[in-house]
Amino acid sequence: EPEVTQTPSHQVTQMGQEVILRCVPISNHLYFYWYRQILGQKVEFLVSFYNNEISEKSEIFDDQFSVERPDGSNFTLKIRSTKLEDSAMYFCASSVGQGAGNTIYFGEGSWLTVV
Amino acid sequence: QKEVEQDPGPLSVPEGAIVSLNCTYSNSAFQYFMWYRQYSRKGPELLMYTYSSGNKEDGRFTAQVDKSSKYISLFIRDSQPSDSATYLCAMKELTGGGNKLTFGTGTQLKVEL
């Protein structure tokens, strides 16, 4: 079964460092997302991306965050200058389209620890 | 009031029991409802989705939606130890909200032998 794959599975970084989390969405999907889950808290929407541009973002997704689809298969989340509160599990997700019947599939997550 | 409320549990049941998991929501624009299962430190895995009031069955799982009460449920019949996980409800608007999912906090379920 096709799946969303994410790398790295776990990354430890120092505060202030840049981090890039990588994702390979399901191949025929056109919509891509990043969500995060702080330990013990709910899964929260960060950003959605379609046709090479951001279609929606949450208030969490500030200027420190950016997304990119550098080639035909990868989708990345960059955090420019990490803070302690960025420690969380980051999930990439993808879907074929929008609206009813378009299921969003999640990857296994990248666990980011900022020290 | 939170947009989506879900009892975090933990909920502990014996093997074979019927499990009932519930969420309430306040946003009338939510029209599309999903249940995800999440094992510890793993990604959410879609179990069921529905966008109409009423029941939808898939094997041992039944999803129920009552839009008039803004209440959704997931029933698990003949629960197994392998069902032990956190169950997340998630919702989205059909229009205007794109594909953004709003999640509940998740209910931790433990099925004991």
Side-chain angles (χ1 to χ4, degrees):
Chain A
E1 186 177 317
E3 57 182 18
V4 177
T5 57
Q6 291 186 241
T7 54
S9 56
H10 188 196
Q11 182 162 352
V12 180
T13 190
Q14 294 218 322
M15 195 167 52
Q17 295 296 302
E18 176 182 284
V19 160
I20 297 176
L21 305 177
R22 291 182 168 79
C23 169
V24 178
I26 295 173
S27 62
N28 64 330
H29 287 189
L30 300 177
Y31 290 78
F32 314 116
Y33 317 88
W34 285 100
Y35 286 74
R36 80 169 186 190
Q37 186 176 30
I38 295 170
L39 188 63
Q41 297 187 25
K42 66 178 182 177
V43 177
E44 299 175 290
F45 171 79
L46 291 179
V47 66
S48 60
F49 190 86
Y50 170 70
N51 200 26
N52 278 320
E53 59 183 32
I54 290 173
S55 48
E56 188 176 1
K57 60 183 181 179
S58 71
E59 59 275 8
I60 303 168
F61 194 88
D62 61 21
D63 292 343
Q64 293 299 312
F65 292 89
S66 62
V67 288
E68 192 179 33
R69 187 155 165 82
D71 53 42
S73 59
N74 290 285
F75 179 51
T76 62
L77 174 69
K78 182 192 290 187
I79 310 174
R80 251 180 284 283
S81 177
T82 49
K83 306 183 188 70
L84 294 175
E85 54 265 35
D86 293 327
S87 295
M89 182 77 98
Y90 288 81
F91 295 109
C92 177
S94 68
S95 65
V96 172
Q98 281 191 245
N102 284 289
T103 304
I104 296 174
Y105 294 91
F106 286 79
E108 291 282 277
S110 292
W111 183 251
L112 176 65
T113 303
V114 182
V115 296
Chain B
Q1 184 184 11
K2 293 179 184 176
E3 272 196 303
V4 180
E5 303 230 27
Q6 185 176 8
D7 186 339
L11 178 63
S12 185
V13 301
E15 184 179 8
I18 296 174
V19 175
S20 172
L21 304 165
N22 312 294
C23 286
T24 58
Y25 62 96
S26 58
N27 185 354
S28 301
F30 288 144
Q31 296 290 318
Y32 194 55
F33 306 94
M34 284 137 283
W35 285 95
Y36 283 86
R37 178 174 60 197
Q38 186 179 29
Y39 293 110
S40 182
R41 300 219 176 181
K42 297 290 185 183
E45 170 195 358
L46 181 70
L47 285 175
M48 297 192 72
Y49 65 90
T50 183
Y51 56 91
S52 56
S53 283
N55 294 352
K56 180 178 179 180
E57 193 172 313
D58 184 2
R60 296 186 295 113
F61 298 93
T62 300
Q64 190 175 80
V65 173
D66 182 348
K67 289 184 181 178
S68 62
S69 302
K70 296 190 180 69
Y71 187 89
I72 69 169
S73 300
L74 178 71
F75 299 96
I76 307 174
R77 287 183 298 282
D78 188 24
S79 55
Q80 304 295 310
S82 57
D83 294 329
S84 298
T86 296
Y87 290 80
L88 312 173
C89 63
M91 310 179 184
K92 68 176 178 177
E93 300 173 17
L94 275 180
T95 58
N99 259 354
K100 171 189 167 185
L101 294 181
T102 301
F103 281 86
T105 52
T107 299
Q108 188 180 349
L109 171 67
K110 184 173 183 181
V111 181
E112 296 181 326
L113 288 167

